[in-house]
Amino acid sequence: MILTVTLNAALDITYRVPRLRPHHSHRVSEVIERPGGKGLNVARVLATLGHEAVATGLVGGATGAALRDQLNAYPGVTDAFVPIAGTTRRTVGLVDTSSGDTTQLNEPGPQVTPAEWAAFADRYAELLDGAAAVALCGSLPPGLPVGAYAQLIRTARTAEVPVLLDTSGEPLRRGIAARPDIVKPNAEELAQLTGSTEPVRAARDARRRGAHAVAASLGPDGLLAVTGDGAWRASPPSRIAGNPTGAGDSAVAGLLSGLAEGLPWPERLARAVALSAATVRAPVAGEYDAATYDELLPKVRVASHPAAA
């Protein structure tokens, strides 16, 4: 079982319009609604890959109830969310079908009380029993301490469960100091963390700050991994056009499933890059185009990088 944590879950709403024009009214051609948040996207991809996924986090209100109802429709994903009094946020994606571009609107999330956070921390510790790995994903809702992920990482390490962290800003900075097994920032988040815009130098710095391994997303150019065993660069054979929303979450699923299966780093990276690219071809986050994935996986280029880990 692989555990995913989405503390700031959302009900994702996608509107598709023929052309998005500022200051104009639009006729929506299609509306898609589904459970969202980075960890839930990861859980759905893991389930599609054949892994048992348990999704936990914080949900509440009518939006949270709708999220949980829809989550039951996904085979292979078990709902282990903890209820709170506040109302789960919504995220709205506006897809311009003429260009494929997406405009994203993200609500901040509900206020979480100290008692609700303590109840979640207890439930999380229980769920770690039997987990092969855990992913901590996304932003923190209002009310949670900035060191919330650091606390969850320490709990996972005590339980001897490998942990991947995918967040940004101060929660990433605090979380890295708790020594997660993998962090997966994008290039911008890595630069903000370290002050370096050169990815290899920044990844080395992130390892010195506490991360055992850094898998940095380079967008359409693939992934860079710097670990204690070496460094690799993985890239797709060509750039894939489409909607990039959720591509990073699919990369997390690829890395996490590879970790749980004991795959070497080059194979983990190839899977992560192929899944990420195949997600660009899917209509919504949390899905990937299976035919594209099967086509790309053997073509992903993975090369050792001369950077010393």
Side-chain angles (χ1 to χ4, degrees):
M1 177 268 282
I2 298 177
L3 179 65
T4 71
V5 175
T6 312
L7 294 175
N8 206 8
L11 189 65
D12 280 351
I13 303 168
T14 302
Y15 294 129
R16 302 178 74 85
V17 297
R19 184 182 177 192
L20 185 61
R21 300 173 63 194
H23 316 299
H24 285 73
S25 296
H26 296 77
R27 187 174 297 278
V28 176
S29 59
E30 183 182 17
V31 180
I32 302 172
E33 185 178 283
R34 62 186 54 225
K38 293 177 72 65
L40 276 168
N41 294 338
V42 172
R44 289 202 296 269
V45 174
L46 285 169
T48 305
L49 291 170
H51 286 269
E52 177 189 357
V54 174
T56 189
L58 302 166
V59 293
T63 311
L67 182 153
R68 300 188 81 169
D69 285 344
Q70 293 187 27
L71 189 58
N72 293 328
Y74 294 95
V77 179
T78 299
D79 174 4
F81 276 88
V82 175
I84 59 174
T87 298
T88 294
R89 66 186 179 131
R90 296 162 299 177
T91 64
V92 178
L94 306 174
V95 180
D96 182 328
T97 57
S98 65
S99 66
D101 291 339
T102 300
T103 300
Q104 195 75 17
L105 306 175
N106 297 328
E107 295 179 359
Q111 187 77 25
V112 179
T113 68
E116 290 168 339
W117 170 238
F120 172 80
D122 289 342
R123 178 61 173 147
Y124 169 76
E126 294 172 357
L127 291 169
L128 287 172
D129 185 22
V134 57
L136 309 175
C137 302
S139 61
L140 298 177
L144 287 194
V146 71
Y149 280 135
Q151 176 182 336
L152 299 183
I153 290 166
R154 288 191 290 268
T155 302
R157 290 183 60 80
T158 298
E160 299 184 341
V161 176
V163 56
L164 182 151
L165 176 64
D166 182 14
T167 188
S168 61
E170 192 61 22
L172 173 61
R173 189 182 306 276
R174 299 284 187 94
I176 278 185
R179 302 186 64 77
D181 294 270
I182 305 172
V183 293
K184 198 217 71 67
N186 61 36
E188 180 180 354
E189 292 162 350
L190 193 58
Q192 291 174 349
L193 172 71
T194 65
S196 174
T197 57
E198 202 290 306
V200 174
R201 183 178 297 112
R204 288 176 181 165
D205 189 356
R207 287 200 68 236
R208 284 193 292 269
R209 292 167 184 255
H212 289 263
V214 178
S217 173
L218 306 178
D221 294 325
L223 285 170
L224 168 73
V226 179
T227 80
D229 298 320
W232 298 269
R233 176 78 175 266
S235 55
S238 60
R239 294 202 172 196
I240 305 297
N243 179 8
T245 304
D249 304 331
S250 292
V252 169
L255 293 170
L256 206 61
S257 61
L259 171 65
E261 295 169 26
L263 297 181
W265 268 102
E267 292 183 36
R268 296 186 209 177
L269 292 170
R271 178 182 292 180
V273 167
L275 282 171
S276 180
T279 298
V280 173
R281 287 277 177 85
V284 291
E287 296 182 2
Y288 63 92
D289 184 83
T292 301
Y293 172 68
D294 291 340
E295 176 187 350
L296 290 180
L297 182 58
K299 299 178 181 178
V300 173
R301 300 184 295 268
V302 183
S304 294
H305 198 284

